[in-house]
C-alpha cells in the first residue's frame, strides 16, 4: 500500500471515530433535554420498601449512610434496611450494631456462603437480602453513600405516577479538593446525563446499583442473577438487561434532584483505576452488544487522541492536524454536555476544572481500556477479583 493511501486510510479512520463521538454526544444532550423532569408531590398511598446494602469494610462511611436512610421524609414503618456484611475485617459491624432501630436488619454473608465462594459476593449478598425482605419494592444502594432526605418519598411518588418495573436514580460524587476527585465528580455528572439519555430514547444502556429500585416479583420472574452469578460485578447492568428485555417500556430514569444519592470519589489514582477496571468487566459480558460497541468507540476516540498526541513529532502534518481537530471536537462537545448536566444538578462550579478534567478523561479512558485488555485481576477492599 502506498504511503498516500495509508495516510488517507488512517485519516478516514480517525475522522469517523471522532465524528461518532461528537454525534453521539449531541444525541445524548438532545435526549437529556427531551426527558421530562419529575415533579415530586406528596402521596398518601405509600409503598413498603426494602433497602438492601451489601457492605465490606465501610467503617468510615457506614454510620453516615444508615443515618441518612433513617432520617428520610418517609414513615419508618414503611421501609426496612437490610445490611448484608460481606466478610468485613474492620469495625463495620460494630458501628452498625449501635443502631437500635426496629427496621434495621443485619445479616452476615458468612452464615450463607464460605469465604472461598466462587462467584460474585455482592450479587449473593443482594440475593440473600431480597430473600429475607418484606417489601415488594427493592432498592439497592451502597454502604459509602448518603441519600437526600426526600429520596424514598420521590421514588414512591414516581412509582405511583408511572407504569414501572425498574427505576435507576442519579448518583453523584461529592466535590472535593484534589483535581482527581473533582474530575471524578465532573465525570459522573456527565455520566448521569448519558445514562438518562438512554432511557429517553428507550434504549437504556446504563444504571447504577447505588440507586436502583425494582419490583421484587420481577426480580424472581427474570431469574435474578442466574446466568451471571459468577461475574464479580454487574448486579445492576445484568438486571437491567434482563428486565428491559421483557418490559422495555417499564424501565425509567428518575430525573430529579430529589432522588439523589451522593458517594465519595477515590482519593488516589490506584484506587480509581482499580474501581474502573472492576466496573469495566461487566460490560463485556452483556448480551446486548450495543453497550460494548458504544463504549468501545468512545474508548477508541480517547485512545486515538492520546496516542496521536504522543506521536505528533513523528507523523506528517496531515495526521497531526486531524488529531488536533478531533481533540478539539471532543473538548467542545464535552464542555457543552457537562454544561447542561452541571446546570441541572446545580454543581456548575465543577466546570472551573474542566480543562484538567478533560485531560484526565482522555488519558485515563485510554489507559484503563488498555489495562482491561491485559489485566487478569484487580484488588478491591483486600480481596482479589479475577477479571
Amino acid at each position: 500500500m502506498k504511503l498516500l493511501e495509508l495516510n488517507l486510510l488512517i485519516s478516514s479512520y480517525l475522522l469517523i471515530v471522532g465524528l461518532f463521538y461528537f454525534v453521539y454526544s449531541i444525541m445524548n444532550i438532545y435526549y437529556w433535554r427531551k426527558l421530562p423532569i419529575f415533579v415530586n408531590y406528596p402521596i398518601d398511598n405509600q409503598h413498603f420498601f426494602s433497602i438492601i446494602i451489601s457492605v465490606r469494610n465501610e467503617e468510615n462511611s457506614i454510620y453516615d449512610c444508615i443515618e441518612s436512610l433513617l432520617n428520610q421524609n418517609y414513615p419508618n414503618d414503611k421501609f426496612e434496611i437490610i445490611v448484608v456484611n460481606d466478610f468485613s475485617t474492620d469495625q463495620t459491624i460494630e458501628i452498625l450494631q449501635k443502631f437500635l432501630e426496629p427496621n434495621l436488619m443485619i445479616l452476615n454473608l458468612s452464615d450463607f456462603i464460605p469465604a472461598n465462594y466462587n462467584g460474585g459476593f455482592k450479587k449473593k449478598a443482594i440475593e440473600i437480602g431480597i430473600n429475607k425482605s418484606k417489601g415488594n419494592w427493592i432498592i439497592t444502594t451502597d454502604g459509602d453513600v448518603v441519600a437526600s432526605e426526600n429520596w424514598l418519598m420521590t421514588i414512591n411518588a414516581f412509582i405511583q405516577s408511572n407504569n414501572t418495573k425498574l427505576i435507576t436514580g442519579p448518583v453523584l460524587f461529592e466535590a472535593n479538593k484534589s483535581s482527581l476527585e473533582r474530575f471524578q465528580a465532573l465525570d459522573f455528572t456527565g455520566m448521569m446525563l448519558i445514562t438518562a439519555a438512554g432511557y429517553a430514547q428507550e434504549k437504556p444502556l446504563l444504571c447504577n446499583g447505588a440507586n436502583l429500585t425494582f419490583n421484587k416479583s420481577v426480580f424472581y420472574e427474570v431469574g435474578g442473577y442466574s446466568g451471571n452469578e459468577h461475574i464479580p460485578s454487574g448486579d445492576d447492568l445484568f438486571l437491567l438487561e434482563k428486565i428491559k428485555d421483557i418490559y422495555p417500556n417499564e424501565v425509567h430514569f428518575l430525573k430529579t434532584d430529589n432522588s439523589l444519592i451522593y458517594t465519595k470519589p477515590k482519593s488516589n489514582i490506584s484506587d480509581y483505576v482499580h474501581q474502573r477496571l472492576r466496573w469495566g468487566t461487566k460490560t463485556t459480558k452483556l448480551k446486548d452488544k450495543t453497550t460494548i460497541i458504544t463504549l468501545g468507540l468512545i474508548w477508541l476516540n480517547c485512545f486515538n487522541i492520546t496516542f496521536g498526541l504522543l506521536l505528533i513529532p513523528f507523523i506528517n502534518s496531515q495526521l497531526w492536524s486531524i488529531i488536533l481537530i478531533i481533540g478539539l471536537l471532543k473538548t467542545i462537545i464535552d464542555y457543552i454536555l457537562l454544561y447542561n448536566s452541571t446546570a441541572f444538578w446545580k454543581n456548575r462550579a465543577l466546570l472551573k476544572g474542566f480543562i484538567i478534567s478533560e485531560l484526565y478523561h482522555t488519558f485515563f479512558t485510554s489507559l484503563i481500556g488498555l489495562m482491561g485488555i491485559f489485566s487478569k485481576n484487580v484488588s478491591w477492599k483486600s480481596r482479589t477479583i479475577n477479571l
Side-chain angles (χ1 to χ4, degrees), residues 234-247:
D235 51 281
D236 43 14
L237 288 189
F238 290 119
L239 189 60
L240 169 63
E241 185 175 61
K242 286 184 173 184
I243 294 177
K244 76 176 182 180
D245 283 348
I246 301 176
Y247 302 101

Side-chain angles (χ1 to χ4, degrees), residues 46-49 72-76 78-79 152-153 156:
Q46 293 151 335
H47 285 288
F48 186 94
F49 294 106
Q72 289 289 300
N73 289 334
Y74 202 74
N76 280 356
K78 290 294 184 178
F79 71 94
L152 287 180
M153 181 177 69
N156 179 68

